[in-house]
Amino acid sequence: MDRYVICGGERLSGQVKISGAKNAVLPILAGTLMTKNAVLKNVPNLSDVAYTVEILENLGMNITRENDKMNIINSGIVNTVLPTELCSKMRSSILFMGGMLASAGEVTIPYPGGCSLGNRPIDIHLKAVEKMGVEIAESSNGIYCKVRSLQGTKIKLPFPSVGATENIMLAGVLAKGETTISNCAIEPEIVDLAKFLNSIGAKISGAGTDTIVIKGVNELGGCCHRVIPDRIEAGTFMIAVAGAGGNVKIQDVIPEQLRPVISKLKEADVEVKEDENSVTVCSDGFIANTDIKTMPYPGFPTDMQAQFMGLMCGGLGTGIINETVFENRFMQVPEFIKMGADITIEGRCAVVKGVEKMKGAKVRATDLRAGAGLVITGLRAEGVTEITDIHYIDRGYENFDGKLRGIGADIIRINEQAVQ
Ligand code: UD1
């Protein structure tokens, strides 16, 4: 198992380029189950993408990759049982449900895994596809779903779940008639999935608003699609610069999608300049702590909460973080405390009292974004920080240490096996 070793205190400067969005490419890859062929560009090199590709290959797809370009050929699905081990690594494996039901008419999905962020039920997904004419049987091995007749219908979500919205979109594309999803998620990744599906011949309107309408079609073709940049990776770099201090241009971003992070950083006295495809962050490392409440888009993203908490640990004054999206997303807190943080948790709120100096320590990445939060904190802490379990970070950050070194951070990746 690899680890990061960080010597804190270096200011960051220069430019960094953001990769394609993990949370956009994963549902799009599930959507390729319905194409004959597709070319995807700006595909990030992440372990979650590699696992997803392995699952697709297991189902019979032929996939080749050259740098950030992926060629996908689908000459027919040969298997409808998803591999347990691979699915147990990723929550997003549930996204295969919609694509498989539309293209193969049935699927057995092991219970999805991924980062443990408290109870992560899939009831909204299951109820929706049931309403569309799918029979569901649950067993200890997973969920068996079979299409009786895939019918468009009206579905109102009890919560704007990102994954459930995507699954219904995938299932609705080849369903008979019209599917309407109200109170749906409006995240940019939903808009990108709709753009991809429309470019292979789907008829989806309203993506990016709270009501999506999908007119079922009989057949889909191929396409070439460029995945949107990763707003969470971009936000993570912005926070890293804010904390460590320095001046960095973060390139290939869509500033509009970073609005809540930009406004919170400005509230914290950090200078952020927006251009068409980039943001530049300039900071002296002094942060005025502020309050954060995570919300579905366009609110402050839950996927940026741990990183912002890391920033607040060494800020001035007290700030409160209210996590409204996931019930157990403060697993990073004991690790931050090892680095000297003053944090108390009260239910879904964390009270963060800024301390004068965070100190390097041996810590463990407890999930993907918690891991990123620890890296950011290590960059500005006094002394050396060692982070283990960085396989979580590999799920969502392409060449994280390399990109950070490129802007002046003192971070190395140590391969345990090579050391022994
Ligand atoms: C997606 C993102 C994840 C992000 C999250 C919220 C991907 C691959 N992952 O996850 O990075 O943190 O959106 O922005 O895109 N819920 C239910 N029942 C369901 C489904 C969800 O109760 O059937 C609840 C969840 O437990 C959670 C909330 O709804 O409390 C939000 O979950 P959801 O939007 O579905 O997140 P994911 O799609 O899993």
Side-chain angles (χ1 to χ4, degrees):
M1 290 241 254
D2 291 5
R3 63 196 151 103
Y4 281 146
V5 176
I6 302 167
C7 279
E10 300 294 336
R11 288 177 98 73
L12 305 178
S13 67
Q15 303 190 354
V16 62
K17 186 185 168 304
I18 297 307
S19 302
K22 163 177 112 48
N23 288 352
V25 77
L26 297 181
I28 288 172
L29 282 169
T32 64
L33 284 163
M34 297 186 281
T35 61
K36 296 215 168 30
N37 52 68
V39 175
L40 300 180
K41 292 183 177 168
N42 205 28
V43 176
N45 194 358
L46 305 170
S47 60
D48 270 15
V49 171
Y51 298 143
T52 303
V53 165
E54 258 191 83
I55 296 174
L56 288 169
E57 285 172 340
N58 193 281
L59 299 174
M61 317 261 291
N62 194 315
I63 301 176
T64 51
R65 177 174 186 142
E66 199 185 316
N67 303 318
D68 69 348
K69 186 171 146 194
M70 204 173 254
N71 273 299
I72 299 160
I73 297 171
N74 180 0
S75 19
I77 290 158
V78 297
N79 182 9
T80 60
V81 181
L82 301 187
T84 306
E85 205 196 315
L86 286 167
C87 290
S88 67
K89 292 182 177 171
M90 286 185 307
R91 161 90 182 163
S92 63
S93 54
I94 188 67
L95 294 174
F96 283 100
M97 184 170 72
M100 282 296 285
L101 288 171
S103 57
E106 67 176 320
V107 63
T108 302
I109 309 178
Y111 290 106
C115 290
S116 171
L117 308 177
N119 189 17
R120 294 181 80 177
I122 50 171
D123 53 318
I124 304 176
H125 301 246
L126 298 180
K127 271 191 198 125
V129 293
E130 242 174 346
K131 202 170 174 208
M132 295 177 79
V134 174
E135 271 169 25
I136 294 169
E138 289 194 60
S139 75
S140 52
N141 295 333
I143 307 149
Y144 173 68
C145 310
K146 186 167 173 54
V147 168
R148 266 182 282 120
S149 151
L150 208 53
Q151 290 285 351
T153 182
K154 286 190 177 2
I155 297 167
K156 182 167 189 212
L157 300 183
F159 179 88
S161 156
V162 175
T165 303
E166 291 165 344
N167 247 331
I168 303 165
M169 286 165 75
L170 292 165
V173 163
L174 290 172
K176 289 195 191 79
E178 195 170 280
T179 304
T180 305
I181 325 171
S182 52
N183 193 33
C184 64
I186 61 170
E187 268 66 1
E189 293 76 19
I190 301 278
V191 179
D192 206 34
L193 176 63
K195 197 172 160 203
F196 164 78
L197 291 171
N198 283 342
S199 67
I200 59 173
K203 290 200 161 31
I204 302 176
S205 57
T209 74
D210 68 359
T211 305
I212 292 177
V213 178
I214 307 148
K215 287 195 167 79
V217 297
N218 293 327
E219 214 187 13
L220 296 165
C223 78
C224 178
H225 178 83
R226 187 178 196 273
V227 177
I228 53 167
D230 196 311
R231 63 194 166 101
I232 305 299
E233 187 198 7
T236 302
F237 275 96
M238 291 170 75
I239 293 177
V241 181
N247 189 327
V248 174
K249 186 173 188 181
I250 298 156
Q251 287 179 307
D252 204 0
V253 303
I254 302 172
E256 185 54 36
Q257 298 175 355
L258 290 161
R259 191 69 52 223
V261 180
I262 293 174
S263 60
K264 280 294 164 188
L265 283 175
K266 284 185 174 169
E267 229 176 281
D269 286 347
V270 177
E271 214 182 298
V272 184
K273 188 171 148 278
E274 294 174 41
D275 284 306
E276 203 181 330
N277 297 315
S278 69
V279 287
T280 302
V281 178
C282 181
S283 168
D284 57 9
F286 289 97
I287 301 299
N289 275 346
T290 171
D291 296 336
I292 299 281
K293 184 176 185 182
T294 66
M295 298 284 280
Y297 192 82
F300 191 89
T302 174
D303 283 354
M304 293 297 312
Q305 181 257 105
Q307 301 90 313
F308 216 92
M309 180 184 278
L311 183 65
M312 286 165 65
C313 286
L316 302 167
T318 298
I320 295 173
I321 299 180
N322 184 354
E323 171 58 62
T324 76
V325 179
F326 288 105
E327 64 183 31
N328 181 20
R329 209 173 189 179
F330 288 138
M331 283 182 305
Q332 70 276 14
V333 169
E335 305 304 308
F336 282 146
I337 288 174
K338 285 182 199 161
M339 298 177 75
D342 182 345
I343 306 171
T344 43
I345 298 177
E346 292 165 18
R348 284 190 168 210
C349 287
V351 182
V352 186
K353 283 189 191 152
V355 299
E356 204 179 314
K357 222 36 200 150
M358 293 290 282
K359 294 190 173 56
K362 287 191 176 178
V363 290
R364 185 174 84 82
T366 50
D367 67 62
L368 164 56
R369 305 304 171 186
L374 289 168
V375 171
I376 287 174
T377 311
L379 292 176
R380 72 195 301 218
E382 212 168 57
V384 176
T385 298
E386 261 189 59
I387 307 177
T388 57
D389 281 353
I390 59 172
H391 57 93
Y392 281 118
I393 300 176
D394 296 336
R395 297 186 51 188
Y397 293 90
E398 177 175 291
N399 185 23
F400 198 27
D401 55 315
K403 287 190 185 185
L404 284 167
R405 272 194 303 278
I407 51 173
D410 186 343
I411 175 171
I412 51 167
R413 182 179 184 119
I414 295 180
N415 181 295
E416 288 295 353
Q417 273 161 358
V419 170
Q420 282 162 8

